[in-house]
Amino acid sequence: MSHELKTGGDRGYLRIATEEAFATREQIDCYLRMVKEGSADKGVTSLWGFYARSPSERATTILERLLDLGEQRLRHMDETGIDRAVLALTAPGAQPLTDLEEARGLARRANDYLAGHVAAHQDRYIGMTTVAPQDPVWSAGEILRGARELNFKGVQINSHTQGEYLDHPKFDPIFRALTETGQPLYIHPSSPPDAMIGPMLEAGLDGAVFGFGVEVGLHLLRLITSGIFDRYPDLQIMVGHMGEALPFWIYRIDYMHQATVRSQRYACLRPLKKTILEYLRSNVLITTSGMAWEPAIRFTQQVVGEDRVMYAMDYPYQFHADEVRTHDNLDIPLATKKKLMQSNAERWFRL
Ligand code: 1DF
Ligand code: MN
């Protein structure tokens, strides 16, 4: 242990954690029912069959912490020096629900519940709107309500919705609402869809260990190559886990993408206005959730720029005081560290 963790900026910056999860009881009961009925996909069955039912220490403590937006969470923030937490409904939110009325209700009630806690602790909590992309027009309205009435500062979507990706034109109302509010979209992992999960599940690698990252990396890449940022040049998309490995891949992605576009091999791969690296540097924001590792953090700052990397803890899934200290101890200038821990979040969430 290198130093004590305190809130209040004793090291020259506040700590704003940007990918922090909560759950509602209704949400967990809904997943449990779907798992029991056999109506959940393989990913929800794997993820929530575990967290909602396993007697293991990991599952029981995480479930208890997800359900708390009160005393315990604030104490854990105090104990690890977290000044403010950007909260979002845990994955996959309302996205697996096939009954639209039920999906809208679950999302709306989660937003109202979060808004109450954010209002009660405005100095500690920041909220993101949850939506039900299976109803894109309703989701657009909920994004406006979140921004205008609930004081939320961004929108979180838990990657694919029943196997569909946000580059599909039907989701356009969501992007129009994001543009109208000027809010960022956080694409958070969820279990890969049935069409992708097979060989991952077989090896026990479908979750946060690997499957999450691969699936969100694909999602972001699909959005970029479909031209989302040519259509919405002001849109900012956030992803966690050090950019879900895209910064590390970017040289090869750009090389092969350009070669493929030139060859006209796929009708869906059209020329873009910029390189994919340029989009990462103008429209993508990356958080350090789950990746408290100096080489990866400094590499990503170098690739996308120090204004585009933000601290995240991923409470309660990855709650370790020593990971906060890793960020504090980074061998980077204080001004850069302040951007990482505080001011980039203030800028991009418009706090
Ligand atoms: C896990 C990890 C679950 C993350 C999450 O939400 C999550 C996990 C259901 O470990 O199973 O948000 N994460 O972002 O790393
Ligand atoms: Mn997370």
Side-chain angles (χ1 to χ4, degrees):
M1 184 176 110
S2 57
H3 56 280
E4 233 189 291
L5 296 172
K6 295 184 199 143
T7 57
D10 65 322
R11 299 182 74 85
Y13 48 84
L14 300 177
R15 298 186 194 85
I16 305 177
T18 56
E19 188 197 304
E20 316 307 310
F22 77 97
T24 64
R25 189 73 246 176
E26 176 189 8
Q27 171 192 23
I28 303 302
D29 288 344
C30 175
Y31 297 158
L32 269 173
R33 195 192 70 227
M34 291 174 69
V35 170
K36 230 180 266 167
E37 283 172 3
S39 63
D41 70 1
K42 290 178 183 155
V44 171
T45 305
S46 170
L47 187 69
W48 287 101
F50 172 69
Y51 282 113
R53 290 195 308 202
S54 161
S56 67
E57 168 80 18
R58 178 169 175 85
T60 53
T61 54
I62 284 177
L63 186 59
E64 181 202 329
R65 289 170 183 177
L66 281 168
L67 290 166
D68 170 61
L69 282 176
E71 294 298 308
Q72 176 173 258
R73 184 176 297 252
L74 290 163
R75 178 162 45 78
H76 284 163
M77 287 170 65
D78 291 341
E79 285 168 4
T80 50
I82 304 302
D83 293 278
R84 307 187 73 183
V86 183
L87 299 164
L89 187 68
T90 201
Q95 290 167 242
L97 279 65
T98 51
D99 181 320
L100 294 187
E101 184 56 43
E102 194 187 357
R104 291 188 292 254
L106 192 150
R108 187 190 328 106
R109 286 185 286 277
N111 287 330
D112 291 339
Y113 169 75
L114 177 59
H117 286 277
V118 169
H121 301 284
Q122 295 190 45
D123 54 330
R124 309 302 299 278
Y125 292 161
I126 297 147
M128 281 199 275
T129 307
T130 196
V131 294
Q134 55 272 55
D135 186 339
V137 172
W138 178 84
S139 294
E142 191 68 356
I143 289 169
L144 300 185
R145 188 176 79 97
R148 292 171 184 168
E149 293 171 35
L150 304 182
N151 195 30
F152 290 162
K153 302 297 183 186
V155 177
Q156 176 166 300
I157 294 183
N158 302 294
S159 202
H160 75 92
T161 300
Q162 299 170 36
E164 293 192 307
Y165 287 84
L166 291 169
D167 53 277
H168 192 291
K170 74 189 213 182
F171 297 116
D172 236 45
I174 291 174
F175 291 102
R176 286 202 296 273
L178 288 164
T179 304
E180 202 176 323
T181 58
Q183 292 205 333
L185 170 66
Y186 202 119
I187 303 185
H188 183 278
S190 86
S191 302
D194 282 354
M196 185 193 261
I197 202 172
M200 295 177 176
L201 193 57
E202 179 186 287
L205 300 175
D206 52 303
V209 59
F210 188 72
F212 280 18
V214 171
E215 198 270 344
V216 177
L218 171 70
H219 197 159
L220 178 56
L221 195 53
R222 283 182 65 131
L223 280 165
I224 297 173
T225 57
S226 76
I228 194 78
F229 297 125
D230 291 346
R231 281 182 279 136
Y232 299 99
D234 295 328
L235 176 66
Q236 296 292 330
I237 296 185
M238 301 176 170
V239 286
H241 316 101
M242 230 66 257
E244 313 291 9
L246 289 193
F248 194 80
W249 280 83
I250 193 65
Y251 181 89
R252 182 169 171 78
I253 289 172
D254 258 328
Y255 180 94
M256 287 300 172
H257 175 254
Q258 285 161 31
T260 310
V261 169
R262 273 196 306 274
S263 73
Q264 303 189 359
R265 176 171 164 186
Y266 300 95
C268 60
L269 284 186
R270 313 293 310 157
L272 301 174
K273 289 192 178 150
K274 301 186 193 177
T275 67
I276 298 172
L277 174 58
E278 284 169 337
Y279 292 114
L280 294 187
R281 296 178 66 94
S282 61
N283 297 90
V284 174
L285 298 157
I286 289 176
T287 79
T288 67
S289 52
M291 288 286 269
W293 193 42
E294 176 144 4
I297 297 171
R298 293 180 59 179
F299 170 79
T300 305
Q301 286 178 326
Q302 199 184 329
V303 173
V304 302
E306 64 181 40
D307 290 349
R308 295 193 163 271
V309 184
M310 302 184 289
Y311 170 65
M313 175 182 275
D314 205 10
Y315 183 90
Y317 294 102
Q318 202 158 332
F319 175 50
H320 300 288
D322 272 332
E323 295 192 342
V324 181
R325 293 189 184 97
T326 296
H327 287 78
D328 286 341
N329 291 337
L330 287 170
D331 186 17
I332 57 176
L334 178 60
T336 308
K337 208 175 287 182
K338 184 170 178 175
K339 287 183 179 184
L340 174 73
M341 303 306 289
Q342 174 183 352
S343 27
N344 288 343
E346 290 171 337
R347 172 179 173 190
W348 296 110
F349 286 104
R350 300 190 191 179
L351 304 180

